[in-house]
Amino acid sequence: WTPTVLTHGAGAQPGTTITPGIDGGNGLTTSATLGSATAGHTKGTGTLGATLDLRLPTTTDPGTYTTTLTLTALS
């Protein structure tokens, strides 16, 4: 999980990169911030995105896996 600002505006800043669990981090097992802006930021629009580096053990059975990613916007 590596958040990025795709289109700058409204004071948008990317969240922190999250290390995958297989590499010793917690992955996205807990909440992570995609982006934020400081209080009193200029009004406008910014576009945020993130790349997701999915790493699985080599012993993982082949198949289709699904998950849910929930995004919450706060102001």
Side-chain angles (χ1 to χ4, degrees):
W1 172 266
T2 303
T4 57
V5 175
L6 301 173
T7 305
H8 292 276
Q13 296 294 316
T16 304
T17 297
I18 303 299
T19 303
I22 200 167
D23 291 337
N26 291 326
L28 292 176
T29 59
T30 58
S31 296
T33 300
L34 175 62
S36 63
T38 57
H41 62 79
T42 59
K43 293 185 179 186
T45 301
T47 305
L48 300 166
T51 57
L52 182 61
D53 184 7
L54 181 62
R55 297 182 185 193
L56 304 171
T58 57
T59 56
T60 302
D61 291 330
T64 301
Y65 294 83
T66 60
T67 190
T68 302
L69 177 64
T70 303
L71 299 175
T72 304
L74 304 172
S75 64

